Amino acid sequence: MTKFPVDRFRQQPTPFYYYDLSLLHRTLDEIDKASSAYYGFKVHYAVKANYNPRILKEISRYGLGADTVSAGEIAAAVEAGFAAGDIVFAGVGKSDEEIAYALKTGIGCFNAESVPELEAIMDIASGMGVVAPVALRVNPNIDAHTHHYITTGLSENKFGIDMSMLAGVVDMCVASPAVSLRGLHFHIGSQITDMKPYEMLCQRINSLQDEYRGKGIIFDTINVGGGLGVDYADPDSVPMPDFKEYFDTFHRNLRLMPGQELHFELGRSVVAQCGSLISRVLYVKEGVKKRFAILDAGMTDLIRPALYQAHHMIENLTSQSDETSVYDVVGPVCESSDCFGEGEMLPVTRRGDIMALRSAGAYGESMVSRYNCRRQPSSYFSE
Ligand code: LLP
């Protein structure tokens, strides 16, 4: 259970992100234990979830690879100590400069998402006299039953190569001296808490593998992306997902070929629960129908509620009251969607109280914006 150093918080300007590093370490230990039970399982951390330099350094020390989506993320990963060969580079819109930078850095693999992108990688690699390692991102048309903004594996999404077009793209790679085809890549969505979509993904991969083995093609790696969800409603009781169940699901359902590696790209499940956004109550405002607790943190500091109707547990860390009251907890930004929770039952809350928005370690600090000319929140660590 995260213990907050509230006395320290009182001295600090708010809002800021606070990271419980002991929980991060326990989570990484558990990932290591659960994944190393199986031969060839390798986890890449999805840098987009949180690229705070200290967090990246802590994660790189555990020997994870890095899953990146821009030259900036590649640079941040290298700077934090991730080995270049353990970096994969995904994304539907890699620019020529980013492709050249990734080749120069010597990354482990491009996850290519379309024919024109593959052509650009081939052109740039042959111009540089190098061979680009690539995996093809396949869109498996699986519904991950998650928020429509974070589902990625359906035919209607912009991501990946449609299964019906895959054979032609594989042939294109095999025929080109500028790329070396390493594997297939998938990612069906994010905040997935039910293992069924992953079981379906395994079945799709098994049949694809059978098809390609028939043609004499065996991939070095299969990459199943990320997406494992966390418990936003009860972060203290469930401080990390069941990693054993997750890796077991792939072990039981996926038929790997001898020597083949299975890659995972976990973001949220690594960092979400170790981070909280700490904020002060500026005002308690009595409306006609509602009572508002107005915080100094807003959607610019944590956009998930405004963008995905996500709910982060709200905790008053300083109220001494035994009584409760109902509040709409809102931010100061000039948008009605700048609301962290409606009808929140909280201990009686006053101006100056310190509040924690929990489970904010993933897609919190990494999605901060400067809208309204707001200051970037700083970050503090438990140790
Ligand atoms: N691999 C690929 C190709 C991805 O697109 C993503 C996330 C991941 C791995 C990591 O997924 P994770 O394990 O973190 O679920 N901002 C949204 C989430 C967007 C996820 C984008 N892709 C949110 O706050 O819910």
Side-chain angles (χ1 to χ4, degrees), residues 143-339:
D143 191 348
H145 301 292
T146 185
H147 190 278
H148 66 284
Y149 277 14
I150 52 175
T151 190
T152 51
L154 287 170
S155 303
E156 68 208 51
N157 298 129
K158 69 179 174 182
F159 300 99
I161 297 161
D162 196 80
M163 303 254 276
S164 62
M165 295 159 79
L166 184 62
V169 186
V170 169
D171 289 344
M172 185 180 155
C173 291
V174 172
S176 165
V179 297
S180 138
L181 181 56
R182 296 286 166 79
L184 298 179
H185 174 231
F186 305 82
H187 174 75
I188 55 174
S190 202
Q191 184 53 16
I192 299 169
T193 49
D194 170 11
M195 292 300 116
K196 287 254 157 47
Y198 287 127
E199 288 172 11
M200 281 175 65
L201 173 63
C202 290
Q203 279 141 29
R204 290 270 206 290
I205 297 173
N206 288 340
S207 48
L208 272 176
Q209 291 241 77
D210 289 345
E211 186 186 328
Y212 283 97
R213 190 178 42 184
K215 296 179 186 169
I217 297 175
I218 292 184
F219 301 102
D220 296 343
T221 58
I222 297 294
N223 182 334
V224 290
L228 179 61
V230 300
D231 193 333
Y232 282 98
D234 198 354
D236 287 322
S237 308
V238 194
M240 65 185 82
D242 189 342
F243 289 111
K244 190 170 177 316
E245 180 195 31
Y246 172 71
F247 290 117
D248 277 355
T249 300
F250 289 94
H251 173 68
R252 277 186 282 106
N253 293 283
L254 195 64
R255 291 194 308 271
L256 287 180
M257 305 285 168
Q260 201 166 50
E261 284 193 7
L262 182 59
H263 291 184
F264 299 85
E265 297 171 339
L266 297 179
R268 186 191 316 266
S269 53
V270 183
V271 290
Q273 300 292 31
C274 77
S276 298
L277 176 62
I278 307 297
S279 168
R280 265 191 181 78
V281 178
L282 291 175
Y283 305 105
V284 174
K285 171 174 167 175
E286 302 290 341
V288 179
K289 294 196 175 142
K290 289 177 159 195
R291 177 175 297 126
F292 297 95
I294 303 173
L295 307 189
D296 62 3
M299 62 190 287
T300 51
D301 307 295
L302 178 64
I303 201 173
R304 303 194 67 261
L307 193 55
Y308 317 111
Q309 293 85 47
H311 185 261
H312 290 252
M313 196 175 115
I314 303 172
E315 221 177 306
N316 185 326
L317 301 181
T318 50
S319 172
Q320 303 292 329
S321 177
D322 295 333
E323 283 164 40
T324 55
S325 190
V326 174
Y327 302 86
D328 276 17
V329 179
V330 301
V333 173
C334 305
E335 301 275 346
S336 298
S337 60
D338 187 25
C339 176

